[in-house]
Amino acid sequence: MSLEAETKAVVAQFDYTDEDVNKAVKEFIRQMGEGLENEGTSLSQIPTYVTGVPNGTEKGLYMAVDLGGTNFRVCSINLNGDTTFNLTFSKVAIPRELMVAKEAKDLFAFLAKQIEVFLRTHHEEHFEKHVRRRLTVSSPEGYKDEEVFRLGFTFSFPVQQIGINKGTLIRWTKGFDIPDAVGKDVCALLQDEIDKLHLPVKVAALVNDTVGTLMARSYTSPGKTGTVLGAIFGTGTNGAYVEKLANIKKPVTGEFDKSTGLMVVNTEWGSFDNQLNVLPNTKWDVELDKETPNPGIQMYEKRVSGMFLGEIVRLVLVDLLKNPSVSLFKDENSSTNDWKSTTSIAPNSGMFTQWGLDTSVMSVAAADQTPELVILRQALESQLQIHSPSLEDAQAFKAIAEAVGRRAARLAAVSIAAIVLQSGALTDPANDGEEIDIGVDGSLVEHYPYFRDMIYEALAQVEGIGAEGAKRIRIGIAKDGSGVGAALIALVAAGMEKNNPGSDYIGELRDTAKRNLSSVPEDEVAAGDE
C-alpha cells in the first residue's frame, strides 16, 4: 500500500464522529452524577468548599504560594476591584534533600522562610507594623485582624480536602517522598512554621490549580452569569465547575457557607471513562497505556493532554516505519525525493525513544500552510534528526498529527459540553441570551493552532447546544490560577470567616496559644514563673 493510502487508513482510525461526541457527552453527564452521589467513581467530583465565584469588583491585598513541583512560588496580589490586579512574585528551587526530608517540618520551615524573605523584600511596611492576629472577646466579630495577609496555598499533590483551608496529604508525587507528612493537614503544617516566625500570615485556603483557573477567569472576565467552568488543557487536563449544592448527594464534611446554594466541584476528569464505555481506543492508545506507570487509569487524559499526544503520533509513525511496503522516511534514491537527496533518521532520533516526539512538533505541523511544508520539514530535521524528509513524508506526518490533535479537541469539547448542559446555563431564562463563560489554561488551548476552533466545531454538533448555543459559549484564556486564583479563594475564605465568626473561634484561640507557648524557650517560661 502506498504511503498516501496507508496514511488515510490511519487517519480514519482517529476520526471521532458527531455521533461519538454526543454519546460521550451523555456518558460524561452520567458519570458526573455518579461522582456527586458516591466515592470511588471514575469522576471523583471533589467538593472544594469554595461556594461562590468573583465578579470582578473584589478588592484587597492577598498572598498566594504554589508548591507544584521542584519550585516554590510566593506571590502577593493586589485586586483593584475593576477586573484588574497587580502581581508581585518570587520563585525558588526546592533543595533536593528537602524533597525527601525525614520530617515534614524541615520542608515546611523552608517554605515559611521563603514567605518571610518575600515579605521583608516586597512588603516591609506591613511586616514591621503588623499586629499578629489579636483575638479579643470584646470584639463583636470575636477577633480582630490587623495587617494580616490571607494566603491561598496551591498544593498540587493528592489531598483529601475537609475544609476550605484543611486537607490531609494522601501521597506524594513528582519526586517528593516525606512519609512523615502523609495523613497530616498540609495547611496546618505550613501555618505552624509561619507562626514560629511570627509572620502576619494566615493560610486561609487550600487551592487546586484548576479551581484557581475558574476563579481567575471569573474575576478578569465577569459577566451576568459568572464563569461556569475552569479547565486546563496542557501537559495534563482537568476541570472545576460551579454545581448546585442540592445536586451533591454524597456527604460533605466540615464547615462551609451554604447560603449561596452553590459549590465549586473539582471533577478530576482525567479519569473520565476509565472503563472505556465511550472513549476511542486504537491499538496505539492501547500500546501507550501499557507503557505508562498507571495503566488503565487517566484514560481521558491519555487521549487529550499534551503530555501524551506526541507519543501517540510517535507510536503510529514507528509502526509505519516497520512496514517494509510503506515508504515513510525512506527513498529508493534521490530521484524520489523532491529535495534531491535521500531521507535518513539518526539512530539517536526521538522517534525511537518513548516520549521522544514532543507535542510542539504537532503544533508546527498544524500551523504550516506553505506549499512544500518547508517549516515542518525543518522542524523534523532539527527536532527529530530526520535528514531531508520528502514532501510526501511531511504530508503524512501532518495528516497523522492533525488527526490525533483533532480527536483530542473533540474529546475536550465533550467535557465542556457536558458541564454546560449540567449547569443549565443555556436554558435558564434568567440568563436571557447571555454568554456562557469558560476559562481555560494550558499549552494546547494557548499554542496548538485551531484547537479552540475544533472544540467549537464539535460543540455545535452536541444535542442541547447546537450552532446557536455554541455561539453563546465564550472560551477564554485564564492565566495564573495558582496566583490570582489562589488569592481570590483566600478572599472567599476571609468572607466566610466574617459571615460565620464564631465557627472555630475558641479552637483557633487555643491552637494559637499552644503554638505560641511551644515556640517560647524553656528558660523564658521559667523566668516568667518567678
Side-chain angles (χ1 to χ4, degrees), residues 228-229 415-426 436 438 465 473:
V228 170
L229 166 68
S415 54
I416 293 171
I419 283 168
V420 167
L421 291 172
Q422 172 81 359
S423 74
L426 279 174
I436 311 304
I438 309 292
I465 295 179
I473 298 172

Side-chain angles (χ1 to χ4, degrees), residues 6 18 111 132 140-141 150 278 456:
E6 192 69 37
D18 294 344
L111 304 183
R132 175 69 176 99
E141 295 85 16
R150 291 302 194 279
V278 293
Y456 276 116

Side-chain angles (χ1 to χ4, degrees), residues 409-519:
R410 290 174 74 81
L411 285 167
V414 167
S415 54
I416 293 171
I419 283 168
V420 167
L421 291 172
Q422 172 81 359
S423 74
L426 279 174
T427 54
D428 187 344
N431 291 341
D432 191 28
E434 283 277 317
E435 288 184 323
I436 311 304
D437 194 67
I438 309 292
V440 293
D441 192 10
S443 54
L444 283 176
V445 285
E446 278 197 84
H447 304 304
Y448 190 97
Y450 317 115
F451 197 82
R452 273 188 280 177
D453 293 345
M454 292 186 287
I455 289 175
Y456 276 116
E457 179 190 280
L459 288 174
Q461 304 305 316
V462 174
E463 295 165 18
I465 295 179
E468 290 306 308
K471 288 176 187 174
R472 284 179 58 196
I473 298 172
R474 178 177 65 175
I475 301 174
I477 298 295
K479 293 301 293 175
D480 207 8
S482 64
V484 179
L488 287 158
I489 296 172
L491 179 148
V492 169
M496 287 169 60
E497 283 182 24
K498 289 177 183 175
N499 293 334
N500 194 12
S503 61
D504 197 23
Y505 166 55
I506 297 299
E508 285 202 57
L509 183 57
R510 286 177 182 147
D511 288 346
T512 302
K514 283 179 185 175
R515 279 197 290 263
N516 289 343
L517 279 173
S518 66
S519 64

Side-chain angles (χ1 to χ4, degrees), residues 33 45-46 83 136 176 201 207 217 233 273 275 360 362-363 395 399 421 439 524:
Q45 296 286 74
I46 302 166
T83 78
T136 61
F176 283 75
V201 175
V207 180
R217 175 68 185 180
F233 296 105
D273 197 31
Q275 313 91 315
S360 62
M362 296 173 62
S363 295
Q395 288 169 335
L421 291 172
E524 287 187 28

Side-chain angles (χ1 to χ4, degrees), residues 25-87:
V25 169
K26 290 182 176 72
E27 179 66 9
F28 199 103
I29 293 171
R30 187 190 73 78
Q31 291 189 23
M32 283 173 71
E34 278 187 345
L36 291 173
E37 290 186 13
N38 304 297
E39 300 292 352
T41 55
S42 285
L43 288 177
S44 297
Q45 296 286 74
I46 302 166
T48 66
Y49 298 84
V50 177
T51 56
V53 295
N55 60 20
T57 63
E58 293 78 7
K59 291 183 179 180
L61 185 61
Y62 294 87
M63 287 190 72
V65 296
D66 180 9
L67 182 65
T70 55
N71 292 310
F72 181 63
R73 192 169 71 132
V74 185
C75 316
S76 63
I77 299 96
N78 193 26
L79 303 169
N80 298 320
D82 58 359
T83 78
T84 69
F85 59 87
N86 301 91
L87 183 144

